[in-house]
Amino acid sequence: MPPKPLILSAFLMNTTSHIIGGAWRRDEAQQHRFNQLPHWVSLVKTLENEGFDIAFFADVVGLYGDHEGGWASHVRKGLQIPSNDPLVLISALAAVTDRIGLALTSSVVQAHPFTFARQLSTLDHLSGGRVGWNVVTTAQENAHRNYGADELARHSERYSWAEEYLEVCYKLWEGSWSDQALRVDKTHEDERGGGLHADPAGVSKIHHDGDRYRVEGPHLSSPSPQRTPYLFQAGSSDRGRDVAAAHAEATFSMAPNREIAAAHAADVKERTKKFGRRPEDLAFIQGLSFVIGSTETEARAKAEDLDTSIDDHALIAHTAGSLGVDVGYLPIDTPLEDLEHTEGAQGHLAEIKKMAPNGKVTLRDLARFRAQSTRVVGTPEQIADELEAWQAAGIDGVNVINSTLPGSYVEFIDHVLPVLRARGLARHPQDAAPGTLRGSLTGEDRLPASHPAATHRDAFTQYSAAATETPKELLHSH
Ligand SMILES: Cc1cc2nc3c(=O)[nH]c(=O)nc-3n(C[C@H](O)[C@H](O)[C@H](O)COP(=O)(O)O)c2cc1C
């Protein structure tokens, strides 16, 4: 099979220290400038000009679990604190770009779905349909406490919340307005007077009444170019995979090697059939970082140099903190065999265990897991060979992890992209037409009829504005 262009996503976060803890301290690193809009404008315009498909902003709405008994170390090391809201940033980036997809994480615990659905419709309108949403359930207990809970909700309960949250959003995005409802007809005349802004028969309440939410509707935004934003999911537990298979259009992973990624992709794609979808309805995007040299020796030397700026404790706090365990006091070679049943991120732990020889995982493995297991070191040609192998294993795209901003992307663009383009593994920027994110990735602006969101289309016409209207001839007879 001839190579297909890989989906290229930049894995970003509106904070200083996202994945590769400690790298912010390097001389060339500029990620601490995340409060400044020109920093992002310049980066995201560069990504767009070079043919990246997506600028993806991860987010958390609370601290990772305690490290060394508290959260002082998170503050000291800038572990995703301070951080800013990606939704607000994306709104600014929409104004200065016109092709790149703008995706963000938003958790089902952080905003009421009515508010969130309206915010994303607004962004989808303003960006010309370029918004993507990574649906997350949030494993940080502090985040749950930030929104009023006493403790972290159970893993399965969080996924049930996510499914109801999605249902409410789908009803608002897909079911509340018909395609023909918005008229903005200034000259329309009928027996009720002049002007028809929207057709009452095409705008409906949704009357959602579920376990967690009651939402009357209607959606206050009219249908945006994509209606439902392009949907990402990143859970890799059993339940997370089902939710991805049922709902996601792309799934993010950080599998530590190709075999695990391939098995994950094949499994989630197979599961789509249970939900009446096709395996090709779901793209699989793997997180990878790159250390690039003009020779392999040079690349290895750069990787070694990078390792000197990696902060093991920040990485341990990040990984263990998302599993909900404080391992900050333990010696660095302590095995972690007793972490089976955490309510935190379960898929991740399983991946770490598979990576380690004999399934024996130590704290040090945990520390280096994020920084090294997804790292590709080599010449541009070796990296292209590696990406070809990832694609052959069933990966549709790469979520490029950075060590430094903007350096990691500038180097990838300058050295790796030309080789990928020459091999047909990346698009030429001039081949990327403006349009919606879903349109550029799937050819269709709207979700297919097989997606669960589509079941809500035209499903609420009994609750339309027109259905509440008193016939004109009866109006004055009371
Ligand atoms: C590439 C990638 C990106 C992720 N981004 C976020 C994020 O921005 N915010 C967040 O809270 N969780 C994020 N996660 C975590 C997942 O959404 C999920 O909560 C976690 O993997 C636990 O789910 P599981 O138990 O189903 O594996 C990300 C995971 C991956 C692999």
Side-chain angles (χ1 to χ4, degrees), residues 11 13 18 56-61 64 105 107 134-140 155 158-159 233-241 252-254 285 287 344-348 399:
F11 194 20
M13 189 166 176
H18 178 203
F56 165 48
F57 288 88
D59 193 32
V60 290
V61 284
Y64 285 87
T105 290
S107 166
N134 178 36
V135 187
V136 305
T137 53
T138 293
Q140 291 95 350
H155 187 267
R158 298 201 303 269
Y159 273 114
Q233 220 277 324
S236 48
S237 62
D238 186 54
R239 188 77 191 275
R241 289 174 187 217
F252 284 125
S253 97
M254 300 248 274
I285 303 181
Q346 297 179 359
H348 214 53
N399 199 21

Side-chain angles (χ1 to χ4, degrees), residues 323-343:
L323 301 173
V325 280
D326 183 353
V327 292
Y329 288 122
L330 303 175
I332 197 133
D333 289 309
T334 307
L336 299 178
E337 281 148 346
D338 51 345
L339 289 184
E340 296 281 353
H341 299 293
T342 151
E343 285 302 323

